[in-house]
Amino acid sequence: MHDDLISKAKAWLAEDPDTETREELAELIDAGDTAELSARFSGTLQFGTAGLRGELGAGPMRMNRSVVIRAAAGLAAYLKKDGHAGGLVVIGYDARHKSADFARDTAAVMTGAGLRAAVLPRPLPTPVLAYAIRHLGAVAGVEVTASHNPPRDNGYKVYLGDGSQIVPPADAGIAAEIDAIASLHDVSRPDAGWEILDDAVLEAYLARTDAVLAEGSPRTARTVYTAMHGVGKDVLLAAFARAGFPEPVLVAEQAEPDPDFPTVAFPNPEEPGAMDLAFARARATDPDLVIANDPDADRCAVAVRDGADWRMLRGDEVGALLAAHLVRRGARGTFAESIVSSSLLGRIAEKAGLPHEETLTGFKWIARVDGLRYGYEEALGYCVDPEGVRDKDGITAALLVTELASQLKEEGRTLLDLLDDLAVEHGLHATDQLSVRVQDLSLIADAMRRLREQPPTGLAGLAVVRAEDLTRGTEKLPPTDGLRYTLDGARVIVRPSGTEPKLKCYLEVVVPVADHAALPAARARATELLTSIKRDLSAVAGI
């Protein structure tokens, strides 16, 4: 076993084009560190519907230039088999460690395979890449990003020519082509021949952002903005300036790209502490709302003053607010969301006489809904301009929520007032998440098995009226690894995360509300129910 491991590592070392990872791997081999070598050579990073994502480092279980070159070669082979020889592949990247290298390697591989490659001019938000694919008539797009993962991670996200992220069976088709690559020496990588795009694509994207706002709408709301050490700042400021909003006050410590994300434990606005600096800036400047992007700016977080201090709105709250705003503006078309998002969107769409669809988790599914006008996911993802960007877009979502805040401000109201109105109209839809991060992935499998073998019959004193194992699929949904429990007045979905070592449980309770005076009691009841469901679910799942 030891000899086999060392020879595998040496074979990898012989092909590795990167001096940094070569040195790292040589040290591990010299030290005979079998534990670390086993972790890196126990398999290969699996190419799935989120593309690739993992920790940077040497070896097939890490993100590195060797893995990326293989992924790019597999994608190129897949595209050629699919009739796209000579087609254009557009490549974007964020400001993480190695992102520019991975983008350049991808461009070289595409060029060597006889495809045309064009790379965005610098680190830019993921939605700019998603827009560029359709704008330039590309057959595919690649975004090098690990979104809001920890600093040591990077990733590789693949889009096809429709501008949406890949879904089955394309992922398996690309994975098979990656597996078929025997040696990196077989992959042609010329030193030149691809195009570095100028700012024309970015200008076209920014011109498109104007379209999400209503002509003549109020533009008075004042914002504090954090880019969370990512790539959103310049594009968001340009979009806000074009729209005529007051210039956002920046959280200076987090404004510029920094791949080490020094001020946050996790560069995700949802994580505890990530918004502390933004809230401090808000206390000092008293804006109407706080806006945050994640590092690749495809997500948008919103915080509001609530009593004496500031609080983050849940993704489901922002999702409902944007829906209500679009309905009031007369939007037509389908409103869509993932199954883990709040059922309030369905109520809003139904009352407005609009079609409503639920999809599996991820914008790769939401973006494919026929006739989509608006789509959202509880993890702070909103698609408000599906004709422009068939993916979540934290820039246009920020514009739209600031327009809504401006409109309410003119009426002497706030986003919280509108949320209260929606609760009275449709019932209080309160959501929460029980999320367990693990070191050992078998703990997730164990919890799922336990729930399958002994599904709960009740949670928080509410009867489970239906238990569904989503691996079997439903009338409307393809199979996925998840469990859905419908309770009397509540809903629970349990699934392993597709991008992180986490088990995620999505909870929703719906409490009827007679009038505005009944809201405090309804909120107290909802909090009590959510707390009890979390406790009971933890016990049943053994987490």
Side-chain angles (χ1 to χ4, degrees):
M1 167 60 199
H2 174 264
D3 291 345
D4 184 40
L5 189 59
I6 296 292
S7 62
K8 260 190 200 168
K10 283 183 171 168
W12 186 272
L13 183 65
E15 288 189 351
D16 191 337
D18 188 325
T19 49
E20 273 182 59
T21 45
R22 272 210 312 274
E23 281 171 19
E24 184 187 316
L25 188 52
E27 278 175 23
L28 292 173
I29 293 169
D30 291 346
D33 189 341
T34 47
E36 187 59 32
L37 287 169
S38 294
R40 290 162 183 248
F41 286 87
S42 58
T44 53
L45 270 190
Q46 285 308 298
F47 187 92
T49 46
L52 294 166
R53 203 177 280 188
E55 193 175 334
L56 290 162
M61 287 297 286
R62 297 285 184 269
M63 281 298 292
N64 50 62
R65 289 183 59 200
S66 299
V67 163
V68 164
I69 290 165
R70 284 173 182 276
L75 173 60
Y78 174 83
L79 290 171
K80 286 161 78 175
K81 270 193 184 168
D82 207 29
H84 296 301
L88 174 69
V89 178
V90 60
I91 301 150
Y93 58 104
D94 67 11
R96 284 178 178 266
H97 292 297
K98 298 283 183 190
S99 286
D101 295 343
F102 295 167
R104 193 173 52 250
D105 282 331
T106 301
V109 170
M110 294 301 159
T111 305
L115 291 143
R116 290 178 296 128
V119 185
L120 292 182
R122 59 185 166 282
L124 286 167
T126 294
V128 177
L129 180 274
Y131 169 79
I133 294 165
R134 296 178 70 209
H135 177 67
L136 297 173
V139 298
V142 170
E143 176 69 21
V144 180
T145 181
S147 190
H148 56 274
N149 276 36
R152 63 179 182 273
D153 289 4
N154 213 328
Y156 198 80
K157 194 185 275 194
V158 176
Y159 297 75
L160 292 181
D162 61 356
S164 304
Q165 294 174 49
I166 53 167
V167 293
D171 56 344
I174 296 166
E177 297 294 343
I178 295 170
D179 291 344
I181 293 154
S183 164
L184 280 196
H185 299 311
D186 302 337
V187 180
S188 167
R189 282 186 297 128
D191 292 332
W194 56 90
E195 182 186 358
I196 305 290
L197 294 165
D198 60 17
D199 277 352
V201 168
L202 178 60
E203 282 304 314
Y205 167 82
L206 283 168
R208 179 89 210 175
T209 62
D210 302 349
V212 305
L213 302 173
E215 213 168 310
S217 63
R219 312 275 165 99
T220 53
R222 292 167 40 254
T223 55
V224 159
Y225 171 72
T226 174
M228 206 66 65
H229 299 297
V231 299
K233 181 197 72 170
D234 291 347
V235 178
L236 181 125
L237 289 181
F240 269 57
R242 289 179 71 102
F245 287 115
E247 185 177 349
V249 173
L250 298 178
V251 178
E253 303 92 328
Q254 299 174 332
E256 299 303 327
D258 186 332
D260 294 318
F261 305 104
T263 67
V264 290
F266 285 95
N268 176 356
E270 292 178 295
E271 293 281 352
M275 295 289 284
D276 288 358
L277 287 170
F279 290 163
R281 201 84 188 92
R283 289 181 203 110
T285 56
D286 196 31
D288 297 298
L289 68 168
V290 174
I291 286 174
N293 285 139
D294 66 338
D296 69 326
D298 62 352
R299 287 176 168 81
C300 175
V302 180
V304 293
R305 180 181 288 288
D306 189 2
D309 209 357
W310 287 81
R311 85 164 171 96
M312 267 266 292
L313 294 177
R314 291 189 162 277
D316 284 319
E317 291 176 308
V318 177
L321 287 168
L322 292 178
H325 182 46
L326 288 170
V327 164
R328 183 171 166 180
R329 273 183 28 186
R332 309 305 299 164
T334 302
F335 280 29
E337 62 183 323
S338 60
I339 54 170
V340 298
S341 305
S342 171
S343 58
L344 177 54
L345 185 71
R347 305 263 176 110
I348 292 169
E350 186 184 10
K351 180 144 192 199
L354 296 173
H356 169 251
E357 290 282 338
E358 280 190 322
T359 73
L360 293 184
T361 313
F363 268 81
K364 56 183 178 277
W365 298 109
I366 295 170
R368 287 189 155 72
V369 167
D370 279 347
L372 181 68
R373 173 60 187 87
Y374 168 64
Y376 99 91
E377 185 154 79
E378 53 70 49
L380 311 183
Y382 315 94
C383 173
V384 301
D385 175 27
E387 286 307 302
V389 175
R390 291 199 180 170
D391 199 2
K392 53 188 179 292
D393 183 345
I395 306 292
T396 47
L399 287 170
L400 197 62
V401 79
T402 309
E403 177 184 63
L404 170 59
S406 301
Q407 197 166 348
L408 291 165
K409 187 179 180 178
E410 302 290 297
E411 298 164 13
R413 285 156 41 84
T414 67
L415 295 177
L416 292 180
D417 293 326
L418 180 51
L419 282 172
D420 286 352
D421 292 352
L422 291 171
V424 172
E425 192 176 351
H426 303 287
L428 177 68
H429 289 62
T431 56
D432 203 354
Q433 207 185 101
L434 172 64
S435 184
V436 185
R437 189 181 285 274
V438 298
Q439 291 290 310
D440 178 0
L441 286 174
S442 69
L443 295 173
I444 292 178
D446 291 346
M448 294 298 286
R449 194 190 64 245
R450 223 174 267 124
L451 288 168
R452 285 193 169 102
E453 286 169 2
Q454 291 182 302
T457 53
L459 296 166
L462 304 175
V464 173
V465 288
R466 193 167 73 202
E468 298 167 276
D469 186 342
L470 299 175
T471 47
R472 301 191 180 109
T474 71
E475 273 175 47
K476 293 197 162 182
L477 298 171
T480 186
D481 186 9
L483 299 162
R484 177 162 61 181
Y485 304 112
T486 307
L487 295 94
D488 194 9
R491 183 213 66 197
V492 174
I493 292 174
V494 185
R495 62 179 276 273
S497 167
T499 54
E500 296 176 274
K502 278 182 173 180
L503 182 69
K504 290 184 163 183
C505 311
Y506 303 85
L507 325 174
E508 178 175 44
V509 298
V510 183
V511 181
V513 184
D515 51 31
H516 280 79
L519 274 168
R523 286 214 170 86
R525 172 67 179 148
T527 302
E528 176 197 336
L529 281 171
L530 287 168
T531 306
S532 303
I533 291 173
K534 271 189 188 178
R535 185 196 60 225
D536 293 357
L537 188 61
S538 293
V540 185
I543 49 176

